[in-house]
Structures are given as structure tokens and as C-alpha cells.
Amino acid sequence: MLTEKMELQPEVLEAVVIRFVGDSGDGMQLTGTQFSDTSAMFGNDIATFPNYPSEIRAPQGSLYGVSGFQVHIGSVEVSTPGDNLDLLVAMNPAGLKTNLYALKPGHTIIVDTNAFTKKNLEKAQYENNPLEDHSLDNYRVIQVDMTSLTKEALKDVEGLDNKSITRSKNMFALGMVYWMYGREKDHTIDFFNKKFKTKPHLIEANTKVLNAGYYFAETLELIPNAYTISPAKMAAGTYRVIMGNTATAWGFLAAAEKSGLELFLGSYPITPATDILHELVKHKHFGVKAFQAEDEIAGISSAIGASFAGDLAITTTSGPGLALKGEALGLAMMMELPLVVVNVQRGGPSTGLPTKTEQSDLLQAMYGRNGESPVIVIAASTPANCFDFAFQASKLALEHMTPVILLTDGYIANGSAPWKIQSIDELPEIKNNISKGVIEDWHPYTRNEDTLARNWGIPGTEGFEHRLGGLEKDKVTGDVNQAPENHEEMTKIRAEKVKRVQNYIPDIKTEFADSGDLLVVGWGGTYGSLHSAVKQINEEGYKNIGFAHFNYINPLPKNTGDLLSRFKKIVVCELNNGQFAKVLRINFNGIEFLQFNKIQGLPFGNNELIEEFKKIVK
């Protein structure tokens, strides 16, 4: 353990993985976010992973009440929040106990010794104090009386109660880490000035504690190394750090602008999708109409009404909410109205793990409605491309007159990454099927010959009056028609319409190898982990391992079968029990699909993936 001053040995690193952990009231999410934003402004590539308990305020000091924020910064490509940690900042014993497993041997722990009381040690189920029993001898442990030093720094600041003083200790830890990795404090101080502009005593308090932590680390030199991480080489442009949910909201704003339609969101709050609603509410000046409904059914039903009236209509939810929306989604499919349903997947079933990530709603998205009820299903794969796939979901819904389910997950929705800001002019055109002018012999179910999309007659428009509802329709007039032959034909038309989307989506492409011994297959939010693992194993000399990642699930890209046939073995990696593997088996009978699955509420780690891939190719 480090108790004496040490000679600093500045060291240049390509990348570093840091995790801040503590009680849910210790401000770990804010601490991690500030470090991430500051690093991004410096020019590092970054990826983040917030991980917090499902309880609003779990019992203080408990093992299941630990809140964490992991950030991976680098001068090289960063596609995951990282596997093993270079630095662990633990604000209490529970945070240390539940996260020590991830720290590399020989690397650094910063702990608040004031939190290692007998009571807190018992809550964390420690029989002995780990700071004293030599169990941490394989690590560099920096013991700091963080709470006491915070109180000392704020003793002359007026207007603070004891609780507010203690809660500021996260800024002491942040100041230490800023010094350790050569980060500037200016961005965070600007943040204080904006966030607390009506509370100057809080600006003063947080600034003082941030500086105290920074200069404590610098003056005492208890940290064995100061590190330098150069800016990353990225394509020219203007970037900002963006969370997946924010990117999703902005993608819809861009789609509404590009299509010339107003944006309507009908939604019911649910973790982890609620931030899309929060973000869109801020943009009423762009013509956004956001409606917080009384329940999930009302949310999607209001969106269907808005679609009928000619808006770009969306509804957002997470797993249990998608189940509740199922009947109304079938109605939108039956009426052939454009609608986007965003499902930010979380651990299930039922309430399950509401703050953890999972990919277990795929089969629900594919088949979770009564009758023959196909819809388009696509999935985003990074926090940044949530923008692209929200835009694409809107484009497909409007141009093909059918609902689209956009799958993200808690990992990418709450995670963040640099995003190159795009202008509206750079985005593709979005057409729609709204009927205009005078059209002789107009019928609502007259279809586009290529897409099979029907006419979109806006209510109140003379000449385009028609009936609409959940009963089977006549294939031309839209009137109720329950004749057996008509029902079968309409069922096949609706399925064929979704299938023809293949003509409008890109082919699936491989990375690293076009053919060979093993194809690693993934979909959705696992992209970063899988890409990083396949890249690493190729660098180790396994040159015949390719990687194919699917964003389009229903329909699958046209060339999927050809691509799969070029590899001797295929392993499908998912954060579920093998749902996409089932979809592939249905579509490609005779091909063997191996599986690697994880259902722990956590993303894949590089090491576990590489170990599995090596087993398969032996």
C-alpha cells in the first residue's frame, strides 16, 4: 500500500479503463459523466457504461445498492467501455467488494478510508478490514481520508449543511483522477456555474472540493504515476459526446424535419426508455408534440391516432411495455399505418432487472402479436448510431406504410460515445405516401407496385374519405371484407410488403475476414464488445475469423445466406438464451449455428469472448 511520497514517472498510455463506484447517493454517475465529457473535449475516443441499482435509493452501504460508472478513454479506437480496470475508485467497502474482481493485478485503487467503518464493513460482509489484512497487497492502494478532507475544504463556505458537505466528496475523487490523467478542470467548473447558477454557495463548494482533490494528488504525490493519453485520430468534423437515448430522440427530430411532417410522441415513462421522452419534450420549438400518457396502451393508441392524422408518430417503451402495446401494434399493422415503436430492452421477464441490459425481447418483437402480424424489426448497435437507426426506422415506416420496431438496450441507451454532428442536408431523402391533389378513382388500399405501400389518406381531406379499423379490409376499398379468399390474400400482401423491404436495406458485410474458419455473428448493442474481441483475436494471429453484425432483423439482408455459407463454423453471440440463433435457424435450415450466451444483466467482456472463440477454432 502507498503511504510515502514517490518519484513520479510520467507514462504515455494508449487507453485506460476507470470505474467509479459507491452508494447510489455518492454521485458516481455525475463523476463519471464529467470525466467522460472532459476527456472527449480533450480529443480522446471514449465509451461509457453506467451501472446502477434498480431501487431509487437502496440501503446505504449495501452490496446491492452500489452504483457505478465505467469509462474507457483512448488515443486509439475505443468501441467498448473496457474489460479489466486500470483504476478503481471505491467510495465505500461495498463498492470495493463488488468491483475488485475487475481490477488488473498491480493496478490502482483509490478508497475513501472514512467510509471503512465497522458498520459499513459489516454491511459489505467483510470479516476484516481489507485495508489492513493484506488482501489488497497485489494492488496499488491509495488511502485517502476523503470525507474528512472534503469537510476541511468547506469549513468556511456558508449555507451548507452536513449532508451537502459530505455529498461533495465525489468531486474530491474526481479532482484526484483529473490530476492523475492530465485532465483540465475547466469544463467541470463551467458545468458547476451553469447547473448551480442560482445557488452560488454550491458553485463555490464543488469548485473548492474539486481543486482540493486535484492539488492533494499533485502535492503529496501519493499516486505513483501521472499518465498521458493523447487525442484520438478521428475523421474531421464537429463532435459531441452523446448518450444512446439522446441520439435516438435526435434521430426522430431529423426524420421529422427531412420528411416535412410534425413529430408526435405518445409514451408512458419506463426505465430505461424515459430519457427519450425527456429529450423530445425539450424541443417543442421544432414542432414536437409529446404526450405523457396514463399507461402503455394509451401511449401507443395516441401515436396511432397521430399517424392516422398525418404525423410521424412514435412511441417508446421497454420490455414489459412492449407486451402491453402488442394488441395496438397489431391494429397499426392491420391498418397499415406508419408507426415507430422503440423498445429499449432490459433484463426480464416481468419487472426483472429494470436497470440492467439484455437482448431478450427479440422474439417478442418478431412474433408477439396475435394472428399473422409481421412488422419491420431493426436494431441499433452503438450509442451514436441510435441516431441513424431512429432516422432509418422513421424512413422505413413512412415509405413502406407499416409499423417498425426499433430495438436498443439499456447498455447503449445509457452509454455514451463521440458522435459526429450531421446536417440535415447530409441525410437521405424520406418520401411518404400521403395522397394530395385530385386523384380519380382513389382507394386507400391502392398500392405502390414496388413497395406494396398503400395510399395514406389524411382525414378531413376531400376525396380521400375512407373507413379504417381492426377488421379485415377489402384489398382495394378498405371496407370490411371477411371473405376467406380476401383475408388470405391480404395476409400474404402484408407479409410480402415487409419482405420487400430487403430491396431497400444494405447487404450484410463482414469485417476482418470474408470467409474462413469461424464467423462471429451478433446483433444490436453487442457490436462494440464483439468487434473489439474479433479484432484482438485477429491481431493474435487468428486470421480466418470474420465478424458479421446485424442491424436489420426482419427482414434479414438479401445476401445473408450467401455470407453464412462462406464459413466453416458460425457462432451467434447474444445477451439472451439464443433468440437470434432461433431466427437464423428458421430462415436457414441445414446450417449449424453455435451459440454463446450471457444473461447476467451485463455486456460481454473481451476475455470471455476470445476464450470462447479459441475453443471453437481449435
Side-chain angles (χ1 to χ4, degrees):
M1 297 186 184
L2 304 178
T3 56
E4 301 177 359
K5 285 189 178 184
M6 303 182 68
E7 283 294 319
L8 281 178
Q9 300 294 328
E11 183 179 345
V12 178
L13 301 177
E14 283 191 341
V16 66
V17 181
I18 302 168
R19 187 182 295 177
F20 301 89
V21 294
D23 271 324
S24 56
D26 283 341
M28 295 296 93
Q29 306 302 318
L30 174 62
T31 306
T33 299
Q34 285 301 307
F35 186 84
S36 304
D37 290 351
T38 297
S39 297
M41 291 187 70
F42 180 73
N44 297 132
D45 198 1
I46 72 164
T48 70
F49 178 45
N51 191 6
Y52 44 88
S54 58
E55 292 86 352
I56 294 173
R57 184 59 59 86
Q60 194 171 19
S62 63
L63 292 173
Y64 60 89
V66 173
S67 176
F69 191 103
Q70 183 166 317
V71 56
H72 186 184
I73 64 173
S75 59
V76 294
E77 179 190 23
V78 170
S79 57
T80 79
D83 211 354
N84 297 322
L85 307 178
D86 298 287
L87 172 65
L88 174 64
V89 180
M91 305 300 284
N92 65 4
L96 178 64
K97 184 158 193 176
T98 54
N99 291 274
L100 183 63
Y101 73 92
L103 184 66
K104 299 174 185 174
H107 283 68
T108 305
I109 309 168
I110 299 176
V111 297
D112 178 10
T113 53
N114 292 124
F116 281 70
T117 63
K118 182 179 179 181
K119 184 178 181 181
N120 282 344
L121 289 167
E122 289 174 353
K123 287 181 179 178
Q125 300 176 18
Y126 275 115
E127 293 182 5
N128 302 299
N129 189 338
L131 304 182
E132 300 172 354
D133 66 3
H134 301 288
S135 61
L136 301 178
D137 285 355
N138 287 334
Y139 306 96
R140 298 169 175 173
V141 183
I142 301 171
Q143 300 185 35
V144 185
D145 297 332
M146 214 172 293
T147 303
S148 297
L149 291 168
T150 298
K151 290 179 178 179
E152 178 66 22
L154 299 181
K155 63 182 181 181
D156 297 326
V157 179
E158 297 181 358
L160 294 175
D161 56 26
N162 189 60
K163 184 177 179 181
S164 298
I165 292 172
T166 303
R167 288 180 64 183
S168 302
K169 64 184 178 182
N170 62 325
M171 290 299 110
F172 194 99
L174 181 60
M176 292 183 67
V177 179
Y178 274 170
W179 179 85
M180 189 173 178
Y181 292 100
R183 310 287 95 167
E184 296 293 335
K185 307 185 300 294
D186 296 351
H187 171 77
T188 297
I189 293 172
D190 289 343
F191 170 80
F192 296 153
N193 288 326
K194 292 175 183 176
K195 183 175 178 63
F196 303 119
K197 61 182 177 182
T198 61
K199 300 176 180 178
H201 62 291
L202 293 182
I203 296 174
E204 181 184 3
N206 281 282
T207 303
K208 274 195 167 186
V209 177
L210 182 72
N211 285 326
Y214 187 93
Y215 295 121
F216 175 84
E218 179 186 56
T219 304
L220 296 186
E221 297 179 355
L222 289 176
I223 300 174
N225 293 81
Y227 301 102
T228 299
I229 303 167
S230 301
K233 295 179 181 179
M234 304 172 76
T238 302
Y239 288 81
R240 64 154 287 165
V241 176
I242 197 166
M243 291 178 63
N245 276 338
T246 304
T248 301
W250 289 13
F252 289 128
L253 290 171
E257 178 72 18
K258 200 71 179 182
S259 64
L261 303 178
E262 292 189 342
L263 178 62
F264 178 89
L265 169 66
S267 194
Y268 179 74
I270 183 170
T271 301
T274 309
D275 282 341
I276 302 173
L277 170 62
H278 292 166
E279 182 63 28
L280 287 175
V281 165
K282 300 176 186 176
H283 299 290
K284 292 182 180 179
H285 53 287
F286 285 140
V288 175
K289 294 171 284 191
F291 169 55
Q292 181 174 318
E294 66 269 27
D295 56 37
E296 296 282 4
I297 299 170
I300 187 171
S301 297
S302 65
I304 291 171
S307 177
F308 179 53
D311 283 353
L312 169 55
I314 62 175
T315 185
T316 58
T317 192
S318 189
L322 184 62
L324 288 167
K325 294 181 189 293
E327 181 180 1
L329 182 55
L331 173 64
M333 188 282 310
M334 186 68 159
M335 296 191 296
E336 300 186 53
L337 284 172
L339 174 72
V340 180
V341 181
V342 183
N343 179 28
V344 185
Q345 298 169 97
R346 68 189 204 187
S350 187
T351 311
L353 306 175
T355 61
K356 310 299 182 183
T357 196
E358 208 164 275
Q359 291 184 295
S360 53
D361 294 343
L362 178 61
L363 294 182
Q364 181 181 200
M366 291 283 291
Y367 308 116
R369 295 163 296 283
N370 67 297
E372 295 289 340
S373 188
V375 298
I376 299 170
V377 180
I378 67 175
S381 49
T382 69
N385 77 20
C386 284
F387 175 93
D388 302 305
F389 286 100
F391 184 93
Q392 182 70 355
S394 305
K395 178 178 171 67
L396 291 173
L398 292 170
E399 294 184 350
H400 296 268
M401 289 296 288
T402 191
V404 176
I405 296 178
L406 169 61
L407 297 173
T408 69
D409 58 59
Y411 174 46
I412 60 173
N414 290 321
S416 57
W419 173 68
K420 184 180 178 183
I421 297 173
Q422 302 178 53
S423 73
I424 289 294
D425 293 340
E426 296 174 305
L427 298 172
E429 180 185 11
I430 296 181
K431 302 175 182 178
N432 60 58
N433 293 277
I434 294 177
S435 299
K436 297 177 181 177
V438 178
I439 302 174
E440 292 185 12
D441 197 28
W442 180 88
H443 295 290
Y445 284 84
T446 300
R447 299 180 182 276
N448 179 291
E449 291 183 1
D450 295 324
T451 65
L452 296 183
R454 74 169 182 87
N455 289 329
W456 191 5
I458 306 304
T461 307
E462 185 177 357
F464 303 141
E465 298 88 351
H466 62 285
R467 300 177 66 178
L468 207 59
L471 293 172
E472 186 60 276
K473 286 130 189 56
D474 182 85
K475 63 182 180 182
V476 177
T477 67
D479 294 337
V480 174
N481 184 337
Q482 298 189 24
E485 295 80 5
N486 180 77
H487 173 57
E488 182 168 329
E489 185 172 355
M490 287 293 282
T491 299
K492 290 181 177 179
I493 287 172
R494 290 187 289 262
E496 177 64 21
K497 180 171 65 169
V498 172
K499 184 179 179 182
R500 288 193 186 185
V501 172
Q502 285 185 323
N503 299 326
Y504 300 88
I505 60 175
D507 285 349
I508 183 76
K509 296 179 180 179
T510 59
E511 297 182 64
F512 308 109
D514 291 327
S515 60
D517 297 326
L518 177 64
L519 177 66
V520 176
V521 171
W523 67 275
T526 57
Y527 174 80
S529 302
L530 297 175
H531 176 272
S532 179
V534 178
K535 179 181 179 183
Q536 184 175 330
I537 198 171
N538 269 269
E539 290 171 349
E540 292 179 12
Y542 292 80
K543 298 298 184 183
N544 291 322
I545 298 180
F547 173 45
H549 202 78
F550 286 80
N551 297 106
Y552 297 92
I553 311 296
N554 193 39
L556 292 164
K558 269 185 175 181
N559 69 323
T560 301
D562 175 63
L563 182 146
L564 296 174
S565 68
R566 300 202 298 266
F567 290 84
K568 296 175 184 177
K569 294 182 179 179
I570 301 166
V571 60
V572 184
C573 303
E574 307 178 69
L575 300 179
N576 58 41
N577 212 23
Q579 296 189 16
F580 188 52
K582 289 182 174 68
V583 171
L584 291 174
R585 290 186 186 110
I586 290 170
N587 284 276
F588 303 101
N589 189 24
I591 297 178
E592 181 182 6
F593 294 98
L594 305 175
Q595 294 179 207
F596 185 60
N597 304 107
K598 183 174 182 178
I599 320 170
Q600 301 175 13
L602 297 169
F604 285 120
N606 263 32
N607 292 341
E608 62 186 345
L609 289 167
I610 291 170
E611 183 180 348
E612 181 67 18
F613 300 158
K614 288 180 178 178
K615 285 180 186 177
I616 295 172
V617 296
K618 273 186 178 179

